[in-house]
Amino acid sequence: YSESGPVDATEAVVYVHGNPGSKADWRDLVVRTGEFARAIAIDVPGFGRADKPHPHEFDYTAAGLGIHLAHQLEQLGIERAHFVGHDFGGPFAVFAALYNPQRTASLSFINSGMLRGYRWHAWARVWRTPLVGELAMLATNRAGFKRVMGDLPVAFIDEMWSNFDMHTRRAVLRLYRTSDPEDQAMAVPLLRAANFPSIVIWGDKDPFIPARFAVRNLESFPSARIEMIAGGGHWPFTD
């Protein structure tokens, strides 16, 4: 993990990356947030520089990674977390919040959240298909990876690629195959009842998750504020 700000503070902004990200996605925001609060960005298991156990040895589900995140924050002395989740980091943060609601101060989503009715993008459908997904991961090279990532800063893509080893690819396959947006329906009543302070931020040119899903978050977070970033893609905080 990386952090900035007062290291002994028990309340913190917690940045949670998605796929194929890492704590490095948040480098700039962690530094800037540290000017007024404790800020933490964590590599979840299977990604970045974290341990990457075999799927037989670790629960690579959104719930499993969320509960693991909750335990990580306990170890770091965080008693109140303001979660900021991007991509799969949104569901990870949601499950961490539901596991420890009394330790959750707010939930913020960037191109993420509770996406009932979402149909997987093309690459996700490939990864969810047995054998086809494995072959696609084996065939993935640097040039192809950069094409999929789109017009992002070169250093940002290079950092992602440096972490996208075969262990991470294996974790990605498992995560996508154990995830279904429709399964989130069970959590909606719990989230509505908790009514965590929330904001939803979305790049309106996201090629992976259409911007119309930003407002679907209101089903789970009725008091959330929606902010659209004109011209922003799937990583509006860096592109």
Side-chain angles (χ1 to χ4, degrees), residues 11-213:
E11 186 166 355
V13 179
V14 179
Y15 291 99
V16 191
H17 68 81
N19 169 59
S22 72
K23 68 179 184 297
D25 295 5
W26 306 109
R27 186 176 290 121
D28 179 54
L29 283 171
V30 166
V31 171
R32 292 165 64 182
T33 306
E35 296 173 4
F36 60 86
R38 186 180 181 185
I40 294 176
I42 290 177
D43 281 341
V44 302
F47 295 84
R49 301 290 192 266
D51 290 341
K52 302 178 180 182
H54 192 279
H56 292 157
E57 301 168 345
F58 187 81
D59 183 13
Y60 286 115
T61 63
L65 287 162
I67 293 170
H68 187 276
L69 172 62
H71 288 306
Q72 286 180 292
L73 297 181
E74 290 176 4
Q75 292 294 316
L76 291 169
I78 304 302
E79 298 176 4
R80 293 277 287 171
H82 295 271
F83 291 104
V84 182
H86 170 253
D87 188 76
F88 257 109
F92 301 160
V94 164
F95 283 106
L98 290 176
Y99 184 75
N100 267 334
Q102 72 280 4
R103 290 174 174 258
T104 302
S106 66
L107 282 164
S108 298
F109 302 108
I110 303 177
N111 293 57
S112 183
M114 304 297 284
L115 308 179
R116 292 199 312 117
Y118 173 64
R119 296 294 177 261
W120 296 104
H121 59 79
W123 277 109
R125 293 196 294 271
V126 169
W127 295 331
R128 284 170 58 83
T129 305
L131 186 58
V132 175
E134 281 78 2
L135 292 173
M137 286 298 191
L138 284 171
T140 300
N141 57 31
R142 187 187 188 96
F145 184 85
K146 293 182 75 171
R147 282 197 299 273
V148 172
M149 293 300 103
D151 189 22
L152 293 171
V154 173
F156 191 84
I157 297 176
D158 286 344
E159 177 71 30
M160 282 187 174
W161 174 251
S162 71
N163 294 316
F164 200 60
D165 59 23
M166 293 311 298
H167 300 291
T168 290
R169 300 180 200 194
R170 185 176 60 193
V172 169
L173 293 178
R174 182 65 174 173
L175 176 60
Y176 275 83
R177 292 172 184 176
T178 59
S179 299
D180 187 338
E182 293 307 311
D183 291 343
Q184 297 179 350
M186 295 181 290
V188 170
L190 296 175
L191 292 168
R192 288 186 66 88
N195 197 24
F196 297 113
S198 304
I199 185 171
V200 178
I201 301 167
W202 214 282
D204 67 357
K205 302 300 182 185
D206 188 337
F208 301 108
I209 311 176
R212 67 178 181 274
F213 283 97

